[in-house]
Amino acid sequence: MATQHELDELQDKLNNLIINYLDLFDKYQASRAEISRALSDGFLNLAQANFNAPNRVRYGQDMYDNRMQALRGVGIAVNETDVTAYILKDLTSPPEVVDSEKADLEAPSNLDGPDIGPEKEEVSEIVGQGDHDTPKERPDDSDAALTLANPKADPLRWFGILRPMALGTAQKNFLHSLPPIMELVSTLSDIEYHEKDIRSLSQKVRKMREELGINFIDEPVEETATISELDKLSISKDGAGDEAIEDHRLEDKKSHNQQPEKPAETPSKE
Amino acid sequence: MTRRWSEEVTHHGETPLAISAPDQLSSINININRRFHPTSALNTQIMEGLFFNIHSGYVEGIVRGYRNSLLTSSNYSNLTQCETLEDLKLQLTPSYGEQLANVASPFPTSTIAAKATEKLVQDFRYLRAQATGALAKFMDFLTYSYMIDNVALLITGTLHERDTKDLLERCHPLGFFEGLPALCVASNIEELYSIVLVETPLAPFFKDNLRSADLDELNIEIVRNTLYKSYLEAFHDFCTTDPALSGTPSAELMSDILGFEADRRAINITLNSFGTELSKSDRKKLYPEIGKLHPEGTLMLSRADDPEAVRLAIEIVGEYRYFFDQGGIGQGGGGIGGGTQKSLEDIFYQKEMELAKGTFTHHFTFAVVYAWLKLQEQEIRNITWIAECIAQNQKDRIGNYISVF
């Protein structure tokens, strides 16, 4: 038979969980904001590069390299609490790797859904950081993230050697959108994990209250609905962007499908 | 031919008037003497105006008409207030109605650019069909720059294993020439020349550029810029030495415009080459040997390592120095293109447009064709920029277009 004390303990635990859960939501929204800022800056700089194009070149997918290969992959690690962490991985083996997908047009397609699988992500071009081949936690040092192990692999080269600086800025913007995307995905899986906990805990609490004969007015949390609504909301927000982006996305998906094989980088470590 | 006639006419036309001027003609006489006197070059110039219209008057008239249909700043301010691309399309109807009429509603910004370019090409082709003699050659020269871009586009695309058919569609129609599709077979610069380009108008520009190097990104860039350098020099040479053009306002105007273009390229190449694998000696070969910066300025540019050194190099030309102070360069982290401040590139475009606008204050010159082409190109860029800002809902920088009318 449950006691009042046990119930209080459980309720405290539940409260803490919910607080954590809300913190995660905050983090989620922050990541979203960061991603959209990076992407919109990137697209605007891309437009600026086109505006300043010295040779009447239209910088975009017209100049993609068909031999492109992924520069970056996503590693999935599951930690002891069953929370999946998504980690950016450097795929460049220094000298001979060619090029990868261009991030600018690629990145938005990553946002299509909240649960971006690794197989979708890996093509995202984020430039390798120095020489390390081991998976690295989000690169917070943005400068380090912009140097290439193999400069010849830099997709900017597709657009010629003497390209407008705005194009480089655009690349950096798109690049900077990748770590928050990883964060977003990790946060999402964390949220999911919390949801499960909260649900089971609140069920326990409810049972205990019934046993103790306490009437409760507060409904059990309905996070599942909230979360999926939130995602839907953000998707439609992204989707309702502009036609140009939409266009790129479509084309991008096409180019995805054309990719011969995707180096699915999923070294899970317990 | 025109020139010889005009010289004769000058000679005969001036002397009798000066000698046997009756009273009522004396005022004209003074006028004529004042206008005709100082140098014989000026003399030729003005008299040539009398005959310019025989060959090129129609084309000049048409071009001036085209110029009047360019968007003005009030048009632009209307465009910037559009909320959707659909509105923008509506606003563009007076100028581009014909081209945009059949565009179905959700359209990407690139469609607007493509349609506007279509109009440009159509107008240019009409003019070219009307042109004869030196003007025809002049207009051919205008197309060479597009050819160079197409060559670069095609060999880059081939290097990147893109579909040839796709690439040909992307080529600028003004720069299309017969052997263009065959470019895809070339694997190094020598082949590029001997198989394809030897037959084309671009062949002369290759004269100092031939070396057996593989076509990789760096070499393509070098080929493109050396071709452009030779092109600018050849065009400049044509404008200043061709019998039909030398000593005319065309020569004077084009010399200024091409000189500016050359300087701008030199500065841009230098600034954009920082941090790339383009060596200084290679870079030096890309600077056109015309313009105000040549030779001292370009020599200093060739030694520059950072934006500050570029600033020093161009200090010899007061105007450029002013541009540099205005533009966001050298302010740590290469601030070009970003921020609210006008970038150096924008300032250069602005200057180019002002030069082009100024051209229309002169009469009897081919330079108006060049100026119109540049103005129209800028207009397309402006429209695309505005469309892009509208599509992305980024109105803060929408006013960065360049308008001179």
Side-chain angles (χ1 to χ4, degrees):
Chain A
M1 189 64 191
T3 62
Q4 181 64 38
H5 177 70
E6 271 174 348
L7 176 67
D8 287 348
E9 239 173 40
L10 260 187
Q11 277 176 337
D12 280 351
K13 211 172 160 192
L14 182 64
N15 282 344
N16 281 340
L17 262 183
I18 291 176
I19 290 170
N20 281 349
Y21 181 71
L22 291 175
D23 277 347
L24 282 175
F25 261 108
D26 187 47
K27 210 168 145 193
Y28 173 88
Q29 281 177 325
S31 305
R32 275 277 181 202
E34 204 176 325
I35 294 168
S36 41
R37 195 173 48 244
L39 289 182
S40 66
D41 283 356
F43 276 107
L44 198 66
N45 276 314
L46 185 64
Q48 175 83 48
N50 275 321
F51 185 63
N52 292 335
N55 302 308
R56 291 179 275 261
V57 175
R58 190 168 164 82
Y59 295 104
Q61 47 200 340
D62 290 1
M63 304 178 79
Y64 282 5
D65 193 331
N66 269 7
R67 303 164 300 172
M68 59 193 168
Q69 282 173 15
L71 281 182
R72 285 251 132 196
V74 176
I76 301 182
V78 182
N79 62 16
E80 52 303 328
T81 48
D82 257 6
V83 175
T84 322
Y86 296 85
I87 300 160
L88 275 176
K89 273 198 71 184
D90 191 353
L91 296 183
T92 48
S93 47
E96 83 284 324
V97 169
V98 199
D99 306 76
S100 91
E101 173 60 294
K102 174 103 176 79
D104 47 7
L105 305 175
E106 157 59 22
S109 69
N110 285 346
L111 291 179
D112 278 358
D115 42 11
I116 310 164
E119 62 286 343
K120 258 183 149 180
E121 199 91 287
E122 94 292 320
V123 227
S124 304
E125 162 246 299
I126 185 167
V127 184
Q129 302 131 25
D131 294 315
H132 59 82
D133 289 314
T134 48
K136 193 194 169 189
E137 287 295 338
R138 289 135 211 156
D140 6 24
D141 184 1
S142 53
D143 285 344
L146 297 175
T147 44
L148 256 187
N150 176 16
K152 294 211 166 182
D154 191 346
L156 266 188
R157 283 174 60 91
W158 304 346
F159 305 93
I161 305 294
L162 306 168
R163 63 242 151 194
M165 285 200 189
L167 194 66
T169 323
Q171 190 200 27
K172 276 181 207 165
N173 291 141
F174 288 123
L175 227 70
H176 287 158
S177 76
L178 284 180
I181 289 177
M182 297 291 101
E183 210 167 287
L184 182 83
V185 181
S186 300
T187 315
L188 270 176
S189 68
D190 214 2
I191 287 179
E192 233 166 79
Y193 172 77
H194 267 72
E195 255 167 46
K196 248 186 265 165
D197 265 10
I198 291 176
R199 207 173 298 131
S200 66
L201 212 58
S202 61
Q203 233 153 23
K204 264 190 209 165
V205 170
R206 204 184 317 170
K207 234 182 238 164
M208 221 178 257
R209 280 175 171 183
E210 274 168 13
E211 282 175 20
L212 288 172
I214 304 170
N215 284 334
F216 56 91
I217 344 112
D218 56 314
E219 277 293 300
V221 241
E222 285 185 22
E223 304 81 5
T224 347
T226 343
I227 231 189
S228 50
E229 266 162 32
L230 186 75
D231 285 338
K232 261 183 222 155
L233 206 86
S234 45
I235 292 167
S236 66
K237 218 173 162 186
D238 287 333
D242 59 86
E243 289 84 335
I245 297 178
E246 203 72 359
D247 177 52
H248 289 320
R249 258 191 226 171
L250 269 177
E251 302 265 355
D252 253 291
K253 275 180 199 152
K254 265 186 238 157
S255 66
H256 267 285
N257 298 338
Q258 284 163 6
Q259 293 237 333
E261 56 132 45
K262 292 167 180 176
E265 280 294 317
T266 53
S268 23
K269 43 174 190 172
E270 291 290 295
Chain B
M1 198 62 187
T2 329
R3 193 179 173 220
R4 206 178 308 141
W5 282 348
S6 55
E7 271 168 0
E8 278 166 21
V9 170
T10 318
H11 185 67
H12 293 297
E14 198 183 317
T15 333
L17 269 177
I19 292 170
S20 63
D23 282 349
Q24 67 267 39
L25 276 180
S26 59
S27 64
I28 300 173
N29 183 11
I30 292 164
N31 253 342
I32 289 173
N33 273 335
R34 197 180 291 150
R35 289 184 62 205
F36 281 21
H37 185 61
T39 61
S40 61
L42 189 63
N43 225 333
T44 323
Q45 236 179 62
I46 288 166
M47 290 310 290
E48 191 155 82
L50 293 178
F51 296 96
F52 180 88
N53 286 347
I54 297 174
H55 297 294
S56 314
Y58 178 66
V59 171
E60 197 199 348
I62 294 282
V63 169
R64 284 178 192 277
Y66 285 163
R67 174 226 173 278
N68 284 341
S69 66
L70 290 171
L71 299 178
T72 61
S73 43
S74 68
N75 291 132
Y76 280 120
S77 75
N78 284 344
L79 290 181
T80 54
Q81 275 153 39
C82 292
E83 289 294 326
T84 63
L85 289 185
E86 199 54 41
D87 292 349
L88 189 80
K89 188 179 141 186
L90 207 67
Q91 285 288 341
L92 288 173
T93 312
S95 310
Y96 296 97
E98 202 183 315
Q99 282 74 24
L100 289 173
N102 294 325
V103 176
S105 199
F107 52 92
T109 49
S110 54
T111 308
I112 297 185
K115 292 290 170 187
T117 309
E118 222 171 77
K119 181 182 183 239
L120 168 82
V121 171
Q122 215 174 315
D123 290 350
F124 185 87
R125 286 199 174 137
Y126 178 71
L127 287 180
R128 177 63 188 82
Q130 302 296 329
T132 54
L135 179 58
K137 202 169 171 200
F138 181 87
M139 290 185 75
D140 284 343
F141 259 105
L142 295 183
T143 62
Y144 296 163
S145 69
Y146 295 91
M147 289 186 191
I148 295 171
D149 290 342
N150 283 353
V151 168
L153 178 78
L154 218 61
I155 50 183
T156 315
T158 311
L159 175 71
H160 292 163
E161 294 177 9
R162 302 292 304 252
D163 184 30
T164 315
K165 221 175 112 192
D166 233 27
L167 290 170
L168 285 171
E169 276 171 21
R170 309 246 180 255
C171 285
H172 200 291
L174 285 187
F176 215 86
F177 55 89
E178 214 174 316
L180 195 61
L183 281 176
C184 301
V185 300
S187 64
N188 63 47
I189 297 175
E190 222 166 350
E191 267 178 39
L192 183 72
Y193 176 73
S194 56
I195 300 179
V196 194
L197 292 179
V198 71
E199 294 285 318
T200 70
L202 294 184
F205 306 146
F206 253 100
K207 59 185 189 299
D208 310 316
N209 192 19
L210 211 52
R211 51 180 196 162
S212 57
D214 284 343
L215 287 171
D216 59 8
E217 276 103 348
L218 179 66
N219 281 321
I220 290 174
E221 197 72 60
I222 292 175
V223 167
R224 179 215 293 276
N225 284 292
T226 349
L227 277 178
Y228 215 94
K229 161 197 150 89
S230 310
Y231 158 71
L232 278 179
E233 287 165 5
F235 196 8
H236 186 268
D237 189 53
F238 168 74
C239 290
T240 47
T241 59
D242 189 84
L245 282 170
S246 71
T248 65
S250 303
E252 196 186 316
L253 289 166
M254 287 310 295
S255 175
D256 278 356
I257 292 176
L258 293 174
F260 171 73
E261 178 68 27
D263 290 343
R264 180 170 75 157
R265 280 193 85 81
I267 295 171
N268 274 343
I269 287 174
T270 317
L271 288 175
N272 291 339
S273 71
F274 298 142
T276 66
E277 68 236 62
L278 186 68
S279 68
K280 281 187 187 172
S281 59
D282 276 339
R283 194 173 75 197
K284 194 178 174 192
K285 291 182 202 147
L286 307 181
Y287 299 138
E289 290 174 7
I290 52 173
K292 290 180 189 162
L293 287 177
H294 180 75
E296 295 168 71
T298 43
L299 183 70
M300 284 170 79
L301 277 180
S302 70
R303 293 173 182 162
D305 282 316
D306 50 39
E308 203 43 52
V310 176
R311 179 198 294 274
L312 280 178
I314 63 165
E315 260 182 1
I316 49 170
V317 184
E319 199 177 17
Y320 298 158
R321 186 189 170 178
Y322 174 69
F323 291 165
F324 245 66
D325 294 340
Q326 292 267 300
I329 184 111
Q331 302 183 339
I336 316 180
T340 47
Q341 194 180 16
K342 277 211 159 186
S343 69
L344 187 68
E345 280 142 324
D346 287 344
I347 294 172
F348 273 132
Y349 274 123
Q350 180 80 37
K351 170 72 183 163
E352 187 188 14
M353 290 306 109
E354 272 157 19
L355 275 178
K357 185 189 176 188
T359 307
F360 282 93
T361 58
H362 295 256
H363 281 279
F364 313 127
T365 166
F366 297 161
V368 289
V369 183
Y370 181 92
W372 161 74
L373 195 64
K374 289 287 162 189
L375 286 165
Q376 185 83 54
E377 274 192 340
Q378 183 61 43
E379 181 175 300
I380 296 172
R381 269 197 296 270
N382 285 342
I383 294 173
T384 317
W385 170 253
I386 292 173
E388 205 73 61
C389 284
I390 291 173
Q392 294 179 28
N393 210 3
Q394 294 257 7
K395 293 284 186 84
D396 330 339
R397 276 157 71 182
I398 202 168
N400 281 9
Y401 59 86
I402 292 152
S403 148
V404 283
F405 292 116

